[in-house]
Amino acid sequence: MKNFRSIIAGALLLCAISAYAQTSRIEHIEPNNWWVGMKNNNLQVMIHGKEIANNRVSIEYDGVSLNKTITVDNPNYLFLDLTIAPDAKAGLVPIKLTGNNKKVTTIQYELKSRASGSSERKGFTSEDAMYLIMPDRFANGDPTNDDIQGMLEKSNRNEPYGRHGGDLKGISQHLVYITGLGMTAIWLNPIQENNMPKSSYHGYAITDYSKIDARFGTNDDFKEFVAQCHANGLKVVMDMVFNHCGSNHWWMKDLPCRDWVNMSQDNHTISNYRLSTVSDPHAADVDRDLATRAWFDHTMPDMNLSNPLVRDYFIQNSIWWIENFGIDGIRQDTYPYPDKYAMAEWNRRVTEEYPLFNIVGETWISSTAKVAYWQRDVNNKDGYNSHLAVTMDFPLRDALCSALNEESGWSTGLQRIYDVLAEDYLYADPLNVLVFGENHDCGRLLHTVGGDIDKLKMATIFLATTRGIPQLYVGTEALMTGDGSRHCDIRTDFPGGWQGDSISYFTDMPSAQQDMYDFTAQIFKFRKSSEALQKGTLTHYVPQNDVYVYFREYGKERIMILMNNTSDSQTIDCQRFEQNLKGTRQGIDVMSNQHVNLENLSIKGRSALVIKL
């Protein structure tokens, strides 16, 4: 019945737009629906159409008040400032537009009822393990949507930076592969429309924030995808981009106002990408502005979130995706680049509606202090509170990659990992950081460690057992490799995702890949059952002879982890760890399920042990 009402409302809206086209044409209304019963009862509706600002607007609907209409530089836009009372009923709100010729046209704007328990939805936490997928490169479940009329770029698997045809259906067909790894959440690179002439397969040049890219599927397909993921025990984290849009976004052809974006198409510069300037108390304004107000790329105009209309547009857009589609989390791209106060307000407003929801921001900075600045409730000297729950631990990723490739020293080898974790005092919540060894922007971990599978396994153990929220990039478990100097090399198609592939990792993995998949699945499935690894305290010991030992404890559960970064086996004297062992000298090797005697403990070279005490 709800779907029927939505269809009727959509049809009425289209009829209203069609009728209005007699005098001028409504091109866009965003958000195109809303809900009663939201905690914040304010709503901003953007209407875009030829000379729309010349109309007088009136609304007569119990519980809905039109506070004011806002006109901007461009007469083709109107912004409506509405209040929806707590006792307002779901239904079709008539928005009456009266033109200079006294002609009245009515837009039927739908207010929906919220789903039961919507505000209490639980986002991802440190109990989860996240699997990152680039939809265009994972699996092509529906070849009929590879090329869509009106979409500028056609599919061509022979073009490294082109569209290859992966889609939502392809991912949904292989959810068992993902759950088999012990994953509990999927992070999708952006799936909103990227109708750019070329090289937008990655999704970060959005041209319509309210549509799924047609080459991935439809909005209804995405809703069904989320439901299928939930049925398989997987949360869905949606990648969003507020810092910039694609230069082919529909509003770039008819900007609402001069300051909707920073700088113009004809007179813009590219960011200096110096994110340290945002938190630097000594930074010059010119350097900070170049980082935060210049374009991210020549095809990626910089959104001006200091404009309240732009800010509220993006806040409401996020809530619209959460409420309509049931997503469980957001990963926000290029987090420190937009206006930081607008981003803080976004986090606050989303959390106001969904207190248990979670958001992770891309904080690509190599210093823990500079990353920690962006986590909520950190005691920043300038008083800034981002309200952002989760930051991405790039410093730990850098330390892990370096540590596995160098000899032990005062500050090298596994000591690098120790030193980064020693800075956890800078975070308000060290469990709420995303830990990873690679993603769609970084060189493949197997490439980074020189193709050494033993080192890759060590890294996998570490990511599964250290504090925080672990994230794997698709293909880590299948020994996929690639040099990060070319994005196309780390974003290759997953073997078997396309009909006619010579080999399928989904059904017939080679033995080496199968071994790595099984290894990854074993440790992450154990993590899935271990409260100590999900949310336990971490105690670690200064590495000796490049052997790093740490413990995770929660309640009565205690896990001991050892990493040996040398090529030689080593015998470990466990007396040093008595603080955590508390007299225990027996345990179970989680990976081999063999009994372990800590009185005579040895560890092979280039390996890790996970021992349940």
Side-chain angles (χ1 to χ4, degrees), residues 375 393 424-425 427-435 467-469:
Q375 192 182 54
D393 201 342
D424 272 1
Y425 67 90
Y427 292 113
D429 185 0
L431 282 177
N432 249 349
V433 296
L434 195 74
V435 296
R467 57 65 172 144
I469 305 165

Side-chain angles (χ1 to χ4, degrees), residues 272-274 277-278 282-292:
N272 61 11
Y273 312 109
R274 297 290 187 177
T277 61
V278 185
H282 311 296
D285 291 344
V286 64
D287 291 332
R288 186 182 295 114
D289 286 349
L290 193 56
T292 60

Side-chain angles (χ1 to χ4, degrees), residues 486-552:
R486 293 204 323 158
H487 278 156
C488 63
D489 293 333
I490 57 175
R491 302 171 180 176
T492 52
D493 297 345
F494 194 82
W498 280 254
Q499 187 174 0
D501 280 0
S502 59
I503 190 170
S504 173
Y505 284 4
F506 294 120
T507 60
D508 189 24
M509 267 191 178
S511 59
Q513 280 79 1
Q514 188 66 57
D515 175 70
M516 187 65 203
Y517 179 94
D518 293 342
F519 180 91
T520 306
Q522 187 174 1
I523 187 58
F524 276 99
K525 284 181 177 178
F526 175 72
R527 186 187 191 277
K528 194 175 179 179
S529 67
S530 171
E531 288 188 299
L533 294 184
Q534 293 171 5
K535 51 190 176 183
T537 58
L538 183 149
T539 304
H540 64 170
Y541 292 78
V542 174
Q544 291 185 352
N545 301 323
D546 221 14
V547 174
Y548 177 45
V549 179
Y550 55 101
F551 292 79
R552 301 294 305 280

